[in-house]
């Protein structure tokens, strides 16, 4: 997930993510990050000016990675439904494969620890904006009822998030049939 970073940055980000999931953000100190990662505090401060800087880079790194995965196979000439379902399926699969990243994004997306400009950039430069454009295409093609595309993306995202959470908590199983049913249900929720 953090392969675009150098060895020190990657170790710090991976360690911080694991600690936050294990202990929560407040209990994750720079000294604990240094101890667990095996990276000296001085080296950490060379790359990150503060714990907040690490948290924000962690958020950016996860959002960037997820965005690349979600948009795999999205920019094609295939039918709108195929493209949207592929994007949502990609989101489901990356969330299940990297549960710590999923949990971090869900827990801290609206946190004051994440700078507003980082949140805004993630939304605009990530996968949400391309999906909004395709939802708009679906409206114009009279496949979907008219509605604000941002709202539509968030509604489907919410359905997927809670289903993934239920799966990660062993409340339900996300097998192929369940994924197909969820994607079909999302499509039908706006279709004309």
């Amino acid at each position: 997930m953090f392969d675009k970073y150098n060895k020190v940055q990657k170790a710090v980000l991976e360690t911080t993510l694991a600690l936050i999931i294990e202990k929560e953000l407040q209990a994750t100190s720079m000294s604990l990050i240094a101890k667990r990662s095996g990276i000296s505090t001085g080296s950490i401060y060379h790359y990150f000016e503060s714990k907040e800087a690490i948290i924000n880079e962690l958020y950016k790194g996860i959002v960037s990675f997820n965005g690349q995965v979600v948009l795999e196979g999205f920019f094609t000439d295939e039918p709108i439904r195929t493209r949207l379902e592929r994007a949502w399926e990609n989101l489901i699969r990356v969330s299940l494969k990297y549960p710590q990243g999923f949990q971090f994004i869900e827990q801290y997306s609206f946190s004051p620890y994440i700078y507003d400009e980082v949140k805004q950039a993630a939304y605009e430069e990530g996968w949400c904006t391309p999906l909004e454009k395709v939802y708009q295409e679906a409206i114009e093609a009279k496949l979907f009822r008219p509605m604000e595309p941002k709202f539509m993306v968030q509604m489907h995202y919410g359905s997927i998030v809670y289903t993934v959470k239920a799966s990660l908590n062993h409340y339900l199983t996300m097998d192929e049939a369940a994924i197909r049913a969820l994607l079909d249900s999302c499509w039908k929720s706006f279709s004309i």
Side-chain angles (χ1 to χ4, degrees):
M1 194 169 3
F2 303 111
D3 290 339
K4 73 177 187 177
Y5 295 93
N6 70 37
K7 185 178 176 181
V8 171
Q9 292 168 318
K10 182 178 179 180
V12 169
L13 293 171
E14 287 175 345
T15 301
T16 303
L17 177 59
L19 285 168
I20 289 172
I21 299 304
E22 176 188 328
K23 298 182 174 292
E24 294 293 322
L25 182 59
Q26 309 308 359
T28 302
S29 66
M30 291 293 270
S31 61
L32 186 56
I33 294 168
K35 182 178 179 183
R36 285 268 186 102
S37 67
I39 306 294
S40 72
T41 306
S43 292
I44 293 174
Y45 279 114
H46 176 74
Y47 292 102
F48 306 100
E49 63 187 39
S50 64
K51 184 170 99 171
E52 278 189 351
I54 295 172
I55 302 307
N56 278 270
E57 196 59 43
L58 186 59
Y59 180 81
K60 288 191 285 189
I62 294 168
V63 166
S64 174
F65 177 79
N66 286 352
Q68 291 171 4
V69 173
V70 169
L71 295 175
E72 283 177 11
F74 183 72
F75 299 103
T76 69
D77 292 331
E78 293 174 289
I80 291 170
R81 182 172 183 164
T82 301
R83 295 168 59 210
L84 287 176
E85 287 185 354
R86 180 177 297 128
W88 289 123
E89 182 176 354
N90 288 347
L91 178 66
I92 293 166
R93 294 195 188 284
V94 74
S95 299
L96 293 171
K97 185 173 181 178
Y98 298 97
Q100 288 184 331
F102 170 80
Q103 186 176 343
F104 177 84
I105 292 298
E106 283 314 298
Q107 191 165 357
Y108 294 102
S109 283
F110 297 102
S111 167
Y113 286 101
I114 308 298
Y115 306 136
D116 288 340
E117 61 272 13
V118 172
K119 292 176 197 174
Q120 190 65 31
Y123 193 88
E124 292 173 0
E125 299 165 13
W127 55 263
C128 289
T129 299
L131 262 66
E132 287 171 13
K133 290 177 182 174
V134 176
Y135 276 76
Q136 184 62 46
E137 287 177 36
I139 292 166
E140 291 167 4
K142 305 220 183 298
L143 297 170
F144 284 166
R145 291 185 296 273
M147 189 182 289
E148 172 61 43
K150 282 184 180 184
F151 187 64
M152 298 167 92
V153 169
Q154 294 306 309
M155 285 179 62
H156 282 165
Y157 180 69
S159 296
I160 288 167
V161 163
Y162 276 91
T163 307
V164 169
K165 283 182 180 181
S167 177
L168 292 174
N169 286 298
H170 310 290
Y171 183 70
L172 58 84
T173 302
M174 289 291 290
D175 58 15
E176 290 303 313
I179 291 171
R180 296 269 65 84
L182 176 59
L183 297 174
D184 186 56
S185 178
C186 283
W187 179 266
K188 287 177 180 175
S189 69
F190 294 131
S191 66
I192 293 177

